[in-house]
Amino acid sequence: MPIPNTVKQVRPAVKPRPRRRLSVQRRQIRIATWEGVPSTIFQTLLGGPFLTGFLLYLGASSSQIGFVLAITTFVNIAQLGIAYGIQRIRSRKWTLIWFLTIHRLLWAGTGLIPFIFPKDLWVSVYIATYTVAFAANAVASMLWTSLISDIVPARVRGRHFGIRNTILNALGSLCLFTGGILLDRFPGGTGFLLLFIPIWICSVANIIIYFYYPDLPFERSQETSFWPMLRRPLQDAGFMKATAFLASWLLVQTLVVPLFSYAMLDLMHVNYKTISIITVMQTLAMMASFYIWGNLNARYSNKKLLFWTLPIIAASCLSWGLLAILPILLVLVLSHVLLGIGVGGFNQLAFNFTIGDTPKSERPMFIAMYSALTGLTSFVGPLAGGRIYGWMKAWPSSLDWFELYGFPVSIGFIMLILTGTLGRRILLAS
């Protein structure tokens, strides 16, 4: 009779598979993505409808609001000098950190204005602080664009920024919704004070994360003097035609689109919660479009896709005409969904155009030329739009319809004309 084997057979322990180490490049891309989290919270709670609302709380007029909305792009004209200056810096990373710190701390510091200054100085101090902050941001933006174009390889750039923008805009939607509820529940100074607490925290966190950015080698321009360097983009006919057209388009677009929040708050008296929900709908549409535009960008050129964003933005303005026959909320949601799809694609593709369709060694000056021209027109647009809204306030009440929806619809028609003529000839040429 066989003796049973009572000795247990011990199976060799299965070693856990070692976690695959991230390559240096993947780690750098991941840091750049995580940096966007506090940056998105910071900029969402300080910008958009909250910026307009805070300015109205401080006592700003429509013209002053238009000026503040315009100044962010006007300072980009300085990027022409910045593009030349950064050729002489030793470290893009540390210069970026210095100027980004100035921007983040000054803009976040505007929340202290009601506690430090008398009421009659609130708007003036805000405008002065905001202007200095965004002058510093013009330098930081140039350096970040130059650095991120080296971090993210060209072959995955369109898809990467599509996914990155989708994730960060989801976070922005949550911030918009939460901020809107907060300001409705605690109106006035208390609500804005509570809003600035996470802003202050995120401004510091954002600065800290930049310390983990890589300090990659910088491929400098082949030119050593300013004017020869400036001539490089000017001699690129395709680039200049596209840039001049996009600058003209933004002049028309910014006459009305940046002032949508003003129209909702001051003309329609829509509350913050509702505006936040509408803006969240816009952001959700933008998120979905980022992924689609990113995938299309792998097959079609930046300029061709830029062309197809234009009629969508025009349709956003034209849809305001439906206020004559449809409920306000329905029209505003439709307009902002179209705006999210159009502007989301426009911004993403314009960014890819400046860093992807330009020579690497001369890229800072190409970016600066684009930023300067579009910055100038985007400065004039909101400034003129704010003035126009101010003039319309003095018109007879029988013309209130034009202030409410006639003006945006008129701008929408001009956009369609630009798209079908110059846009078609310039952006679809190649």
Side-chain angles (χ1 to χ4, degrees):
M1 183 174 178
I3 300 173
N5 184 8
T6 57
V7 179
K8 289 185 177 180
Q9 294 183 352
V10 180
R11 293 183 179 178
V14 178
K15 292 183 180 180
R17 294 178 63 182
R19 184 179 295 179
R20 188 174 63 177
R21 294 185 63 182
L22 291 174
S23 66
V24 173
Q25 191 173 68
R26 284 181 178 272
R27 188 163 62 249
Q28 291 170 352
I29 292 174
R30 182 168 292 185
I31 291 168
T33 302
W34 277 107
E35 171 271 317
V37 172
S39 177
T40 297
I41 298 171
F42 172 86
Q43 296 188 65
T44 300
L45 296 181
L46 274 173
F50 302 126
L51 172 60
T52 305
F54 188 57
L55 285 168
L56 288 171
Y57 166 71
L58 294 179
S61 65
S62 61
S63 296
Q64 289 171 322
I65 292 171
F67 178 79
V68 169
L69 294 173
I71 200 66
T72 56
T73 53
F74 179 72
V75 294
N76 285 340
I77 296 173
Q79 289 194 359
L80 290 171
I82 295 165
Y84 174 71
I86 66 172
Q87 302 295 325
R88 282 150 179 76
I89 62 174
R90 292 186 177 182
S91 168
R92 282 184 293 177
K93 171 185 171 178
W94 293 107
T95 310
L96 167 63
I97 290 173
W98 275 110
F99 283 95
L100 182 112
T101 300
I102 294 170
H103 171 257
R104 298 295 193 258
L105 296 184
L106 282 180
W107 197 13
T110 56
L112 299 174
I113 288 175
F115 301 99
I116 299 175
F117 298 95
K119 192 169 184 177
D120 58 328
L121 293 178
W122 285 2
V123 177
S124 300
V125 173
Y126 185 95
I127 291 174
T129 306
Y130 188 87
T131 302
V132 176
F134 274 86
N137 188 61
V139 182
S141 175
M142 164 70 70
L143 290 165
W144 183 84
T145 305
S146 171
L147 196 55
I148 201 70
S149 66
D150 289 342
I151 292 173
V152 183
R155 66 182 182 278
V156 299
R157 202 170 280 153
R159 188 161 295 167
H160 165 76
F161 284 111
I163 295 171
R164 182 182 190 269
N165 291 338
T166 301
I167 295 169
L168 296 181
N169 275 272
L171 176 61
S173 298
L174 180 61
C175 293
L176 279 166
F177 184 70
T178 306
I181 293 175
L182 184 68
L183 289 179
D184 270 344
R185 186 164 184 178
F186 302 98
T190 303
F192 282 111
L193 175 61
L194 293 173
L195 202 66
F196 269 94
I197 291 173
I199 288 171
W200 293 327
I201 294 170
C202 287
S203 65
V204 175
N206 192 210
I207 293 166
I208 291 172
I209 294 178
Y210 270 100
F211 281 81
Y212 294 93
Y213 254 55
D215 198 2
L216 299 178
F218 182 30
E219 186 175 333
R220 303 181 189 280
S221 172
Q222 298 173 8
E223 306 290 349
T224 56
S225 300
F226 176 75
W227 292 112
M229 195 181 299
L230 181 65
R231 280 199 297 268
R232 285 299 186 98
L234 292 173
Q235 291 169 346
D236 189 325
F239 173 83
M240 287 306 302
K241 284 181 181 178
T243 298
F245 169 74
L246 294 175
S248 303
W249 170 269
L250 286 171
L251 172 63
V252 177
Q253 176 185 311
T254 54
L255 283 170
V256 66
V257 170
L259 294 160
F260 277 0
S261 294
Y262 166 76
M264 291 187 288
L265 285 167
D266 203 53
L267 302 180
M268 302 178 189
H269 306 290
V270 181
N271 60 46
Y272 284 108
K273 181 180 177 181
T274 303
I275 290 177
S276 295
I277 293 172
I278 292 169
T279 312
V280 166
M281 297 292 289
Q282 174 185 332
T283 308
L284 290 173
M286 190 180 293
M287 286 163 50
S289 76
F290 281 145
Y291 183 76
I292 295 170
W293 291 118
N295 282 332
L296 287 173
N297 205 192
R299 299 171 56 192
Y300 303 103
S301 71
N302 293 312
K303 289 198 288 186
K304 183 171 288 188
L305 291 176
L306 269 169
F307 172 81
W308 290 110
T309 66
L310 305 185
I312 301 174
I313 300 171
S316 171
C317 295
L318 290 169
S319 65
W320 280 62
L322 297 173
L323 287 170
I325 56 174
L326 294 177
I328 287 177
L329 184 59
L330 180 61
V331 174
L332 292 179
V333 169
L334 173 63
S335 173
H336 282 76
V337 166
L338 290 170
L339 187 65
I341 297 170
V343 170
F346 183 94
N347 292 340
Q348 180 170 311
L349 292 161
F351 177 79
N352 290 344
F353 166 66
T354 56
I355 69 173
D357 295 358
T358 53
K360 185 176 179 181
S361 63
E362 309 300 327
R363 189 169 293 154
M365 188 56 78
F366 275 79
I367 294 170
M369 182 62 70
Y370 176 86
S371 298
L373 291 179
T374 57
L376 179 61
T377 56
S378 297
F379 169 75
V380 175
L383 201 61
R387 289 278 186 182
I388 293 169
Y389 272 110
W391 293 334
M392 288 189 290
K393 275 190 173 295
W395 290 4
S397 57
S398 59
L399 294 174
D400 284 350
W401 65 271
F402 189 82
E403 183 183 16
L404 189 61
Y405 59 82
F407 182 48
V409 169
S410 301
I411 296 300
F413 276 118
I414 295 172
M415 287 177 171
L416 281 182
I417 294 169
L418 274 174
T419 302
T421 54
L422 291 174
R424 183 184 179 90
R425 189 159 63 245
I426 293 171
L427 297 181
L428 298 184
S430 56

